[in-house]
Amino acid sequence: MGQNTTVVLADHNIVGELCGANDRNIAYLESLLQSRVTTRGNEIYLSDSDPEKQRIFSEVLRRLEQHLYAGITVGVDLIQSVYRTVTDNDTLGADMLLEQRIELPGIGRTISPRSHAQACYIRSLQTKEMVFCIGPAGTGKTYLAVAAALHDIVTRKKRKLVLTRPVVEAGENLGFLPGDLAQKINPYLRPLYDAIEDLSSGELLHKLESNNMIEIAPLAYMRGRSLKDCVILLDEAQNTTKEQMKMFLTRIGEGSRAFITGDVTQIDLPRKSSSGLLHAVRLLNAIEELDINFLSGKDVVRSVIVQKIVAAYEADADHS
């Protein structure tokens, strides 16, 4: 019979939120601890005599309680992140998860990080004129950049959001795709639109478009422009050439901010060494006004299975 460790929640009203629908969060915590977790009233019990598991259990619940008081929803992805910071004794990471958030006034959304690296990324997005972020699919690099850009637009800190991506990918040239420019570019920009709609609503997206507060532009069409008082988001930057990246970075006008995201494991250029993203982060890393953030498989937030898939591919790359 295991020895019980008990955590008593101060507020009865948050028990249901912490446990999740059908005790999903409790079941996930059990899978992490490999021990039985039960609840009664505002008390949560761990049936395990291992002192380290008892420490982790108590600390994870304490920090999840803090997140709930801060208005942050507790789900499997957050539990995973908090569990990791506790098992790594990462007190900085735990504090950062609470402190770094993106508020979207008028929309009623608060975007919170799910890992220490994401928290550092959010801090960069809120404080730097230019932010690079490199990471695999599902790490939130584009989603968080869109959230930070929307914050600047809805709070009127910037007058326009400009979304751009390179349009030559995997040997497919924009000119050979059917339709007018809007129809051609739409498949490339769809992930950015999906992020905006998820963060707000289709109504806000329509309003931004109607008021010319959002613009989509193929990267090639940026040449010769000077973008002032804007937030410019360059996505899929791993597929820019060195020349395209230089052209883009020198378009940033007075009062503008730029967010550049990419996944260097998905470079579709003939030679990986020609990627403008890889070249830029090597060349510009000493400039104080910009930050370069790296996310990894540990920061995948889409689902547990996606995290495992990314980890498997990373491990395969390490051995190939």
Side-chain angles (χ1 to χ4, degrees):
M1 185 78 175
Q3 178 181 338
N4 280 350
T5 297
T6 305
V7 172
V8 181
L9 303 178
D11 186 349
H12 288 75
N13 296 320
I14 67 170
V15 176
E17 294 178 68
L18 192 148
C19 293
N22 299 316
D23 286 341
R24 182 188 179 199
N25 294 342
I26 294 298
Y28 185 64
L29 187 57
E30 283 184 322
S31 71
L32 291 173
L33 292 166
Q34 294 294 294
S35 299
R36 177 71 173 159
V37 177
T38 54
T39 63
R40 185 175 63 195
N42 65 327
E43 298 179 339
I44 302 178
Y45 305 90
L46 172 73
S47 297
D48 201 301
S49 59
D50 183 341
E52 180 61 9
K53 285 188 179 182
Q54 293 176 356
R55 180 193 73 81
I56 293 170
F57 169 75
S58 300
E59 187 65 13
V60 166
L61 287 181
R62 184 185 70 79
R63 294 182 183 179
L64 292 176
E65 191 175 15
Q66 288 178 331
H67 281 75
L68 285 169
Y69 288 140
I72 300 170
T73 301
V74 171
V76 166
D77 49 359
L78 179 59
I79 293 172
Q80 184 182 55
S81 297
V82 171
Y83 179 83
R84 189 164 60 245
T85 62
V86 171
T87 53
D88 293 343
N89 289 308
D90 182 4
T91 55
L92 174 62
D95 291 340
M96 288 280 284
L97 286 175
L98 277 171
E99 293 169 3
Q100 301 299 325
R101 287 181 276 169
I102 300 172
E103 304 283 351
L104 296 175
I107 299 175
R109 291 289 304 275
T110 299
I111 311 304
S112 303
R114 293 301 188 234
S115 68
H116 182 204
Q118 277 197 359
C120 292
Y121 180 35
I122 288 177
R123 181 173 59 187
S124 296
L125 291 168
Q126 294 178 326
T127 59
K128 295 293 184 176
E129 296 175 31
M130 185 177 293
V131 181
F132 289 82
C133 187
I134 295 174
T139 52
K141 59 185 183 297
T142 301
Y143 189 82
L144 293 175
V146 170
L150 274 181
H151 169 84
D152 281 4
I153 299 305
V154 299
T155 58
R156 303 287 178 165
K157 290 183 177 180
K158 304 298 176 189
R159 67 177 179 87
K160 179 186 282 190
L161 168 58
V162 179
L163 305 173
T164 186
R165 296 174 89 180
V167 294
V168 179
E169 300 181 11
E172 191 172 69
N173 189 287
L174 186 66
F176 293 101
L177 297 177
D180 59 21
L181 177 61
Q183 292 171 323
K184 288 177 178 181
I185 196 69
N186 184 63
Y188 292 95
L189 275 295
R190 189 68 246 174
L192 301 177
Y193 271 77
D194 289 343
I196 293 173
E197 289 177 346
D198 183 72
L199 286 162
S200 54
S201 65
E203 275 185 35
L204 176 65
L205 182 56
H206 179 70
K207 180 181 177 181
L208 292 175
E209 290 177 318
S210 299
N211 295 332
N212 294 317
M213 295 175 69
I214 185 169
E215 175 187 346
I216 61 172
L219 184 60
Y221 285 50
M222 303 282 282
R223 190 174 302 278
R225 301 182 64 183
S226 179
L227 299 168
K228 297 181 179 180
D229 197 30
C230 298
V231 188
I232 308 107
L233 200 167
L234 171 59
D235 193 37
E236 297 289 338
Q238 76 275 3
N239 287 322
T240 60
T241 63
K242 295 176 185 178
E243 293 76 17
Q244 285 176 323
M245 180 61 78
K246 179 183 176 182
M247 179 272 292
F248 170 78
L249 296 177
T250 53
R251 298 307 93 207
I252 312 304
E254 184 178 350
S256 286
R257 307 180 69 213
F259 305 147
I260 301 102
T261 64
D263 178 358
V264 295
T265 68
Q266 296 189 30
I267 296 174
D268 295 318
L269 298 171
R271 293 182 299 110
K272 288 192 175 184
S273 60
S274 64
S275 169
L277 178 59
L278 288 174
H279 179 254
V281 297
R282 288 195 301 267
L283 190 66
L284 308 176
N285 67 81
I287 297 177
E288 292 182 6
E289 289 80 6
L290 64 79
D291 268 353
I292 300 169
N293 292 264
F294 294 91
L295 302 177
S296 70
K298 292 181 179 179
D299 304 300
V300 171
V301 294
R302 284 183 184 165
S303 67
V304 175
I305 189 171
V306 172
Q307 185 176 41
K308 291 179 178 179
I309 290 169
V310 171
Y313 275 96
E314 287 181 345
D316 181 66
D318 290 340
H319 291 97
S320 62

